[in-house]
């Protein structure tokens, strides 16, 4: 019986760990997309001169 409980606990830990990694990856994607949008907004807001300076 103890082996079953130990296996169930280990399986739960693996699932929780995988869910945590998935959440971190999702946050990274959202942050990267937000940063890219922010940077493109900054670039659009800065007027360019004829020589590109």
């Amino acid at each position: 019986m103890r082996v079953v409980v130990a296996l169930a606990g280990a399986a739960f830990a693996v699932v929780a760990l995988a869910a945590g990694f998935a959440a971190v990856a999702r946050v990274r994607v959202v942050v990267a997309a937000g940063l890219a949008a922010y940077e493109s907004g900054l670039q659009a807001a800065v007027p360019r001169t004829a020589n590109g300076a």
Side-chain angles (χ1 to χ4, degrees):
M1 189 62 187
R2 286 183 181 175
V3 174
V4 174
V5 172
L7 287 176
F12 177 77
V14 168
V15 170
L17 194 62
F21 278 125
V24 169
R26 195 173 302 128
V27 169
R28 281 182 161 181
V29 169
V30 170
V31 169
L35 188 60
Y38 175 72
E39 288 179 350
S40 67
L42 283 181
Q43 290 172 358
V46 175
R48 296 286 182 191
T49 59
N51 62 3

